[in-house]
Amino acid sequence: MYCSIRRYQLVKGTPDVVREKVDHVFLPRIRTLEGFVSYSVIVTGLGGDGLPGIVTVSVFEDAAQAKASSKLAADWAREMGDFFALEKLGEESGRIACRAQAD
């Protein structure tokens, strides 16, 4: 499995608006991508400038699928400009080397 981790700063809107739009607009889209395993949004709190951070984690079966999710996320974030704006701070992706789940 592979994951893509994207880090953003929320420069317009609120984390609640992002969550609502993820639930109702983005999740239905990303779930249709081949190899989809999971998607998470983490609100990291306020940065030094007082703006909330947002981290997303997309998990897919292979690297190409994880990369495709990044394009989908970028297109969707631009589409949501009337509701919120994210400044992308970075992205990491790679093979998941170790994973555990609750029994």
Side-chain angles (χ1 to χ4, degrees):
M1 277 192 261
Y2 287 78
C3 80
S4 179
I5 301 168
R6 294 177 286 278
R7 294 181 300 108
Y8 305 95
Q9 189 165 49
L10 184 61
V11 295
K12 172 186 163 188
T14 66
D16 286 340
V17 169
V18 174
R19 182 200 48 77
E20 190 264 330
K21 294 300 180 186
V22 165
D23 282 345
H24 294 100
V25 182
F26 189 67
L27 282 177
R29 293 180 189 179
I30 197 169
R31 283 185 172 130
T32 67
L33 292 181
E34 186 177 340
F36 174 78
V37 174
S38 67
Y39 180 79
S40 300
V41 175
I42 300 110
V43 178
T44 61
L46 300 177
D49 52 10
L51 298 172
I54 303 282
V55 175
T56 65
V57 180
S58 303
V59 179
F60 283 84
E61 304 231 348
D62 71 35
Q65 296 161 342
K67 185 174 175 100
S69 76
S70 292
K71 168 132 177 40
L72 181 72
D75 292 345
W76 173 77
R78 279 191 295 278
E79 181 185 322
M80 293 292 108
D82 288 344
F83 304 101
F84 64 84
L86 299 170
E87 177 186 338
K88 190 172 184 179
L89 302 176
E91 181 173 350
E92 298 289 333
S93 60
R95 185 175 64 83
I96 297 174
C98 185
R99 183 172 179 232
Q101 291 180 226
D103 294 331

